[in-house]
Amino acid sequence: MPNFAANLTLLFNEHDFLDRFEQAARAGFRGVEFLFPYAFAKEAIHERLVRHELELVLHNLPAGDWAAGERGIAVLADRRGEFREGVQRAIDYAGTLGCTRINCLAGIAPDGVERARLHDTFRENLSHAAGELKKAGIRLLIEPINTRDIPGFFLTNTRQAVALIEEINSENLFVQYDAYHMQIMEGDLARTIESNLPRIAHIQLADNPGRHEPGTGEINYPFLFKHLDAIGYRGWIGCEYRPATTTSEGLGWFAPYRG
């Protein structure tokens, strides 16, 4: 049976962030994830995890000025120092929170910069981060994202991510496979996941169109969940969707899998 983690950035938004841990546990989730922990004291987050017996399965590296529209800085040559500082900050938080997977958002390709230069910067930053996280016992993940929601995003499909991993040749670099983003960019979800399974360390879900809960769009999630079991995927599936109404009202899809 799949292991589902509630994404507390998008789910249970009817509550303040630190109160969402309790709501996730009450709903039957054993794991949680979120985009960023850095606006909160790591000790406060740790206390909620312990109190509600939840595992933190994923968070992201610092990704620049999110409110201003930045979606990662890993491809930006003039932000290398900031990127490396972010790696250490993420390791510090993950160590306290017991998180063993950290995702790196590539960022939006700036106008006027050759793609080869962006690629080289991304490769250099990933190589550094993978090595630093390995020392801390943390896996580094990279996530392809669709260019409809984030125009200009640098990393856009599974093939590109896997090729980059092979080029860097690090045993500590993996794919975070978001079914919503990849349904938009490439489709063929079941076959793509199966053929790249050794490279995939985390999966996320949302339905398309709308990025709402499973059952609201075109993706056959009951089939996909059975397929993941059949091919031996034993990792977490992060529920990174926007509830169509409230989180609780939209959890009917989760009932057969509730722990």
Side-chain angles (χ1 to χ4, degrees):
M1 179 179 294
N3 298 311
F4 293 101
N7 186 293
L8 299 186
T9 301
L10 296 184
L11 301 189
F12 304 106
N13 268 259
E14 304 85 1
H15 305 271
D16 292 336
F17 178 73
L18 290 176
D19 294 331
R20 296 174 196 172
F21 293 82
E22 179 180 3
Q23 299 303 315
R26 285 185 174 182
F29 290 100
R30 297 183 297 107
V32 294
E33 63 175 33
F34 37 73
L35 291 183
F36 309 107
Y38 311 111
F40 301 88
K42 58 187 179 181
E43 295 80 8
I45 298 174
H46 179 261
E47 191 277 330
R48 299 301 174 108
L49 290 168
V50 172
R51 186 196 308 179
H52 301 297
E53 299 181 323
L54 292 167
E55 179 179 346
L56 177 60
V57 305
L58 180 85
H59 66 77
N60 291 335
L61 289 175
D65 190 342
W66 196 263
E70 291 188 327
R71 293 297 182 264
I73 60 173
V75 298
L76 305 179
D78 60 345
R79 308 280 286 275
R80 283 189 180 96
E82 181 183 347
F83 179 86
R84 293 193 175 203
E85 290 174 1
V87 169
Q88 294 307 314
R89 190 178 186 196
I91 290 172
D92 180 51
Y93 265 81
T96 296
L97 302 178
C99 184
T100 58
R101 300 166 200 82
I102 290 179
N103 183 45
C104 175
L105 293 171
I108 297 170
D111 293 335
V113 181
E114 292 183 0
R115 191 165 182 87
R117 185 183 180 196
L118 299 174
H119 176 90
D120 290 346
T121 300
F122 194 27
R123 180 185 60 200
E124 178 185 323
N125 279 332
L126 289 177
S127 181
H128 170 78
E132 292 299 302
L133 267 63
K134 182 181 179 181
K135 296 175 188 176
I138 302 167
R139 287 183 165 189
L140 177 64
L141 284 60
I142 52 175
E143 178 185 12
I145 290 178
N146 82 78
T147 53
R148 181 186 301 160
D149 289 353
I150 307 181
F153 197 80
F154 182 78
L155 186 64
T156 62
N157 60 70
T158 306
R159 185 182 298 108
Q160 181 190 0
V162 170
L164 187 59
I165 290 170
E166 292 175 349
E167 180 181 355
I168 294 171
N169 194 29
S170 169
E171 63 182 19
N172 195 42
L173 184 58
F174 300 88
V175 175
Q176 175 176 305
Y177 188 91
D178 189 308
Y180 164 73
H181 290 301
M182 292 302 93
Q183 174 69 0
I184 294 171
M185 296 303 294
E186 61 191 22
D188 204 15
L189 302 180
R191 185 180 305 223
T192 302
I193 293 172
E194 183 173 1
S195 62
N196 293 285
L197 190 62
R199 300 290 196 187
I200 296 173
H202 190 68
I203 291 174
Q204 290 179 325
L205 64 78
D207 219 331
N208 181 63
R211 200 173 182 174
H212 299 312
E213 51 265 59
T216 59
E218 65 188 1
I219 301 176
N220 186 345
Y221 272 112
F223 165 81
L224 193 59
F225 297 153
K226 291 179 182 178
H227 180 70
L228 292 174
D229 278 345
I231 65 176
Y233 178 73
R234 298 294 179 260
W236 289 90
I237 302 175
C239 303
E240 194 187 39
Y241 62 82
R242 298 187 181 96
T245 54
T246 67
T247 303
S248 297
E249 289 175 353
L251 283 176
W253 71 271
F254 180 52
Y257 312 102
R258 186 176 284 115

